[in-house]
């Protein structure tokens, strides 16, 4: 949990999109609020080692707004991935301002039982 807490807790001063993460049928599902972004132009998603990296920017024309409560600017998030994830199996889609990343959790193989010989006189 320390790794998870450390990675989710960093970059507190940067604009940070809200992230929800849960599991469903062995798949880690990460949902990121990114309203109004050009997902292909403004956002990069990479699996590096055991971390999912999200980087990008959100922009608006400050002169056109009377009130702006959302945060704008560059952001990056680092989300820990389960051990043994194959980056080639990760899928992402963007619908209605929410980026959804699906990370299939690897099946854990139970080790073969090994009989331990006992030495005796």
């Amino acid at each position: 949990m320390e790794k998870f807490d450390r990675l989710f807790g960093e970059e507190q001063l940067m604009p940070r999109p809200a992230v929800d993460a849960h599991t469903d049928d062995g798949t880690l599902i990460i949902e990121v609020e990114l309203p109004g972004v050009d997902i292909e132009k403004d956002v990069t998603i990479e699996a590096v080692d055991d971390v999912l990296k999200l980087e990008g920017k959100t922009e608006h024309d400050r002169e056109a707004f009377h009130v702006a409560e959302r945060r704008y600017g560059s952001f990056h998030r680092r989300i820990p991935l389960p051990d043994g994830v194959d980056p080639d199996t990760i899928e992402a889609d963007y619908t209605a301002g929410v980026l959804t990343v699906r990370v299939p959790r690897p099946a854990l193989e139970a080790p073969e039982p090994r009989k331990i010989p006992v030495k005796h006189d």
Side-chain angles (χ1 to χ4, degrees), residues 62-106:
R62 294 182 193 274
E63 302 296 321
F65 281 81
H66 295 285
V67 175
E69 292 185 349
R70 291 189 290 175
R71 293 181 178 194
Y72 295 92
S74 296
F75 65 85
H76 66 277
R77 297 293 307 260
R78 295 177 182 202
I79 301 166
L81 295 174
D83 290 335
V85 165
D86 179 358
D88 293 333
T89 64
I90 298 173
E91 298 178 350
D93 62 76
Y94 181 71
T95 304
V98 177
L99 172 68
T100 302
V101 180
R102 289 178 178 76
V103 181
R105 296 180 71 120

Side-chain angles (χ1 to χ4, degrees), residues 29 60 87 91 109:
I29 299 173
H60 73 66
E91 298 178 350
E109 295 182 20

Side-chain angles (χ1 to χ4, degrees), residues 1-120:
M1 272 319 269
E2 180 181 307
K3 177 173 95 172
F4 187 85
D5 293 338
R6 185 184 75 241
L7 290 172
F8 266 93
E10 65 185 26
E11 296 108 20
Q12 292 293 331
L13 299 177
M14 292 187 80
R16 294 166 33 110
V19 172
D20 290 337
H22 65 280
T23 56
D24 184 18
D25 291 330
T27 300
L28 174 62
I29 299 173
I30 302 165
E31 297 170 321
V32 185
E33 288 185 1
L34 294 171
V37 301
D38 182 335
I39 198 71
E40 292 182 8
K41 180 180 142 211
D42 294 334
V43 179
T44 302
I45 309 165
E46 296 177 323
V48 178
D49 297 324
D50 58 350
V51 174
L52 183 71
K53 286 178 40 177
L54 301 172
E55 296 181 350
K57 62 183 175 179
T58 56
E59 297 179 343
H60 73 66
D61 179 3
R62 294 182 193 274
E63 302 296 321
F65 281 81
H66 295 285
V67 175
E69 292 185 349
R70 291 189 290 175
R71 293 181 178 194
Y72 295 92
S74 296
F75 65 85
H76 66 277
R77 297 293 307 260
R78 295 177 182 202
I79 301 166
L81 295 174
D83 290 335
V85 165
D86 179 358
D88 293 333
T89 64
I90 298 173
E91 298 178 350
D93 62 76
Y94 181 71
T95 304
V98 177
L99 172 68
T100 302
V101 180
R102 289 178 178 76
V103 181
R105 296 180 71 120
L108 298 175
E109 295 182 20
E112 291 289 324
R114 180 176 163 258
K115 188 170 183 169
I116 307 297
V118 178
K119 297 180 184 179
H120 58 85

